[in-house]
Amino acid sequence: MRAVIVAAAVAFIISLFGTPIAIRVFTALKAGQPIRTLGPATHQGKKGTPTMGGVAFIIATVFAYVAGHIALTTLPERQIAQESPTMTALVLLGLFVFCGVVGFLDDFLKVRRRNSDGLSAKGKLLGQLLVGGAFAVVALYVPSTNGETVASEKISFIRDIDLLDVGKVGSVMVFVFVIMAMSNGVNLTDGLDGLATGASILVLGAYALIGFWQYRHWCGDSDYARVNDYCYQVRDPLEIAMIAAAAAAACVGFLWWNTSPARIFMGDTGALGLGGLIGGLAVATRTTLLSVIIGGLFVIITMSVVIQIISFKTTGKRVFRMSPLQHHFELAGWSEVNIVVRFWIVAGICVAIGLGLFYSDFLAVMG
């Protein structure tokens, strides 16, 4: 537990004090956010706000993970946790960093061209596909000494569903889909000051709790597994908890500067990185389908875009005044702060339901 706290504290401090440095650097480089002319008129005042802020909390999380491991070497927890970086950490941090790199390329092109056209939609999806596919192969084909892999060949809800064994190839496809879906979900949610950041904090916090709970009831802990019939068949749950807690805390530090009126935006760098990490956490904790509930706000906003596109292409009519959903409420007259806070509440409710289902499953099995 102390290693998780150390990682979270380090991430928060680095992000809180490192983000102002990023603001000055990106301002000096004239890396201001271009604003689409088709968007809400109120957004034109945000033109020129530094973007690519996701760099700050991604770097903070990586350094915090290293700090957590340094702390781990001095703690009794090392008896049932690997002291050296694990394959789980490689996959999760790799997704965070390299999905962020895809987003960074998009942000860089927007800034360089001085318009909102970055990577093409196909280019962005291809980048996500390559990153997701590469780490899916690692997650499925590189076992630990006890034979456990980061991802499972079975589709999971709160744990693996035995009837939904899709094999390695099928699991790679599921892995890639989850990464792409979550990356684009967080990206679509980004658009109002602090909205995606706050929602991500709640989701990452949930996965920090899930990871730590699985660590305390882990099949890899021989003492626990010997006296309990039920344990979680996952790989490196303490690593999962450390990374999720560090990323959540880093986002809290970033939110200090990203809340309305934002002094910096996370950009696609942060949004795609966070989505990749959240998708990886869902797969690593064997909660793939549960992540649809935990990340419910991202799902709702993504579906608003899908519904809008389908409706317009089939009937020529729009269901919403503008999509994603947050912009519909802007045009309906809601203030930006009201939308953000209310959407945070929705995200919190989804997280609470997801955690409730996760814990109720544990009680049902143990009871």
Side-chain angles (χ1 to χ4, degrees):
M1 181 64 177
R2 283 173 289 176
V4 175
I5 293 173
V6 167
V10 170
F12 172 74
I13 293 170
I14 293 176
S15 182
L16 180 65
F17 294 103
T19 301
I21 298 174
I23 293 173
R24 290 194 291 270
V25 170
F26 290 132
T27 300
L29 294 174
K30 299 186 182 338
Q33 175 70 48
I35 303 297
R36 291 186 306 163
T37 56
L38 296 177
T42 54
H43 286 207
Q44 294 305 313
K46 301 180 180 184
K47 187 175 181 179
T49 302
T51 187
M52 306 185 197
V55 170
F57 55 73
I58 290 174
I59 291 175
T61 301
V62 173
F63 275 96
Y65 171 75
V66 174
H69 256 282
I70 292 173
L72 191 62
T73 60
T74 65
L75 300 176
E77 295 171 9
R78 70 181 185 275
Q79 295 173 3
I80 56 173
Q82 290 180 258
E83 296 179 22
S84 60
T86 64
M87 191 58 64
T88 301
L90 173 65
V91 170
L92 295 179
L93 293 177
L95 287 168
F96 200 17
V97 171
F98 285 99
C99 284
V101 168
V102 175
F104 183 86
L105 291 174
D106 186 50
D107 289 332
F108 176 78
L109 291 175
K110 289 176 183 177
V111 170
R112 185 175 183 180
R113 296 169 180 171
R114 302 298 177 188
N115 60 46
S116 58
D117 296 326
L119 283 174
S120 66
K122 290 182 179 179
K124 196 181 296 186
L125 290 174
L126 178 61
Q128 294 170 317
L129 177 64
L130 292 174
V131 172
F135 285 102
V137 171
V138 173
L140 266 298
Y141 286 87
V142 182
S144 63
T145 54
N146 65 358
E148 194 70 47
T149 54
V150 177
S152 170
E153 296 181 29
K154 301 172 184 176
I155 295 176
S156 58
F157 179 54
I158 295 174
R159 44 193 165 143
D160 284 340
I161 302 172
D162 291 334
L163 295 177
L164 296 180
D165 190 330
V166 294
K168 280 189 171 7
V169 174
S171 188
V172 167
M173 295 172 65
V174 171
F175 188 105
V176 172
F177 174 79
V178 171
I179 299 306
M180 295 178 71
M182 278 296 179
S183 292
N184 288 296
V186 177
N187 197 26
L188 290 171
T189 303
D190 189 28
L192 299 184
D193 295 353
L195 176 57
T197 309
S200 296
I201 290 168
L202 293 169
V203 174
L204 290 167
Y207 274 111
L209 291 174
I210 288 173
F212 191 74
W213 187 261
Q214 290 179 333
Y215 167 67
R216 300 300 297 179
H217 307 86
W218 183 31
C219 295
D221 179 356
S222 57
D223 291 334
Y224 180 85
R226 186 169 56 249
V227 297
N228 291 275
D229 295 329
Y230 179 74
C231 58
Y232 292 99
Q233 194 73 36
V234 297
R235 178 172 175 176
D236 312 314
L238 185 59
E239 296 279 275
I240 294 170
M242 285 174 57
I243 292 170
C251 286
V252 172
F254 180 77
L255 184 61
W256 182 271
W257 308 100
N258 180 236
T259 193
S260 182
R263 293 188 54 191
I264 188 170
F265 299 139
M266 70 166 67
D268 282 18
T269 305
L272 295 186
L274 285 171
L277 174 60
I278 291 169
L281 289 167
V283 173
T285 56
R286 309 294 198 266
T287 57
T288 303
L289 296 180
L290 185 65
S291 68
V292 175
I293 298 173
I294 293 176
L297 179 65
F298 304 139
V299 176
I300 291 169
I301 289 177
T302 300
M303 290 308 300
S304 74
V305 176
V306 173
I307 291 170
Q308 186 86 321
I309 292 172
I310 293 175
S311 176
F312 188 75
K313 286 186 177 294
T314 55
T315 68
K317 296 181 180 180
R318 292 179 172 87
V319 176
F320 307 103
R321 300 182 186 190
M322 182 179 288
S323 64
L325 188 61
Q326 60 268 32
H327 299 318
H328 168 82
F329 288 106
E330 277 191 287
L331 295 181
W334 291 23
S335 72
E336 181 172 2
V337 172
N338 275 342
I339 297 169
V340 170
V341 172
R342 288 168 180 171
F343 276 40
W344 282 352
I345 292 172
V346 172
I349 292 171
C350 292
V351 165
I353 294 172
L355 288 176
L357 290 171
F358 179 83
Y359 186 60
S360 64
D361 171 77
F362 178 82
L363 291 179
V365 174
M366 295 300 290

